[in-house]
Amino acid sequence: MLGSSIDSTQLLEALYQTLYMVTISLVFGALIGVPLGIVLVATRQNGIWPNAWIHHILNPVINILRSLPFIILLIAIIPFTKLIVGTSIGTTAAIVPLTVYVAPCIARLVENSLLEVDEGIIEAAHAMGATPIQIIRYFLLPEALGSLILSLTTAIIGLIGATAMAGAVGGGGIGDMALVYGYQRFDTLVIIITVVVLVIIVQCIQSIGNALAKKVRRH
């Protein structure tokens, strides 16, 4: 027994649920958010492929999605969640709102990372006759890779925090365990255990992200 309300089996199950939700939603969120971030940068007024219509549509949509607190987003898209996975309750169902939540965040983080690239590199690419796709693939992304790794690290940590609210749809996870077994049952030990586990996870992820970014920047 780890505490008066939980045992090691329950903790491991909650840890698995958290990692499952974070991993799957991050993959889908990145598949959506990274291209959106690239398009935001490319279609800016002074971008490599200026397009006011696309930029002026994507920009406010991303801002609107980012401005919604996760718990409100979770409830608001319940019909969409049912349409995608057939249910609005459970760990798998929680992945849908988590993906919708993290995708615009990743898009904005990617945009910021790409905007940090020295404009001289882009000008040199233009001078060599590179196409917009070639500029993105061979110049923009490689130069911003270290920053992109740190951005995705930030997104992962944000997702871990959001999974705590997944309990509203029966998503489970470490955060849900802290609320149900710790807060609602007034079990301080459970809260302490779950907090320690979350801190360790976050520290490990941040350390790995920092190490990878440092290694990439050296090369």
Side-chain angles (χ1 to χ4, degrees):
M1 290 289 291
L2 294 174
S4 58
S5 301
I6 63 170
D7 55 32
S8 57
T9 302
Q10 290 174 299
L11 182 61
L12 289 173
E13 177 66 19
L15 178 60
Y16 165 76
Q17 291 171 342
T18 295
L19 295 177
Y20 171 70
M21 287 187 287
V22 169
T23 302
I24 303 301
S25 56
L26 177 68
V27 170
F28 285 112
L31 288 174
I32 298 170
V34 172
L36 285 179
I38 294 172
V39 171
L40 280 173
V41 172
T43 57
R44 293 170 68 89
Q45 185 175 357
N46 298 319
I48 59 177
W49 183 50
N51 191 309
W53 282 100
I54 293 177
H55 191 80
H56 289 157
I57 291 173
L58 284 182
N59 202 47
V61 169
I62 290 173
N63 285 337
I64 290 170
L65 290 174
R66 287 189 66 211
S67 66
L68 293 175
F70 178 68
I71 190 64
I72 294 177
L73 178 66
L74 185 73
I75 297 169
I77 66 169
I78 283 178
F80 178 68
T81 302
K82 285 183 178 180
L83 180 65
I84 297 297
V85 297
T87 180
S88 61
I89 299 173
T91 305
T92 301
I95 290 173
V96 177
L98 283 169
T99 300
V100 175
Y101 167 77
V102 79
C105 294
I106 290 177
R108 196 61 76 189
L109 288 169
V110 168
E111 179 190 24
N112 292 337
S113 294
L114 295 180
L115 289 175
E116 292 176 1
V117 176
D118 189 348
E119 291 185 3
I121 294 174
I122 308 302
E123 292 173 1
H126 277 299
M128 288 186 286
T131 65
I133 297 298
Q134 290 173 330
I135 292 174
I136 292 170
R137 181 178 178 182
Y138 297 110
F139 296 89
L140 205 56
L141 291 177
E143 285 296 321
L145 187 56
S147 180
L148 288 171
I149 290 173
L150 292 177
S151 294
L152 287 177
T153 301
T154 300
I156 294 171
I157 293 172
L159 268 176
I160 292 172
T163 59
M165 289 172 276
V169 291
I174 297 292
D176 183 49
M177 174 175 282
L179 292 172
V180 175
Y181 291 93
Y183 177 73
Q184 294 180 4
R185 299 185 183 183
F186 304 101
D187 194 328
T188 305
L189 182 57
V190 172
I191 294 177
I192 293 173
I193 291 171
T194 53
V195 167
V196 170
V197 171
L198 287 173
V199 168
I200 292 173
I201 293 173
V202 169
Q203 288 298 320
C204 288
I205 291 172
Q206 188 65 62
S207 297
I208 293 171
N210 290 344
L212 288 175
K214 186 176 181 180
K215 184 176 181 179
V216 166
R217 284 171 172 168
R218 281 179 178 174
H219 294 286

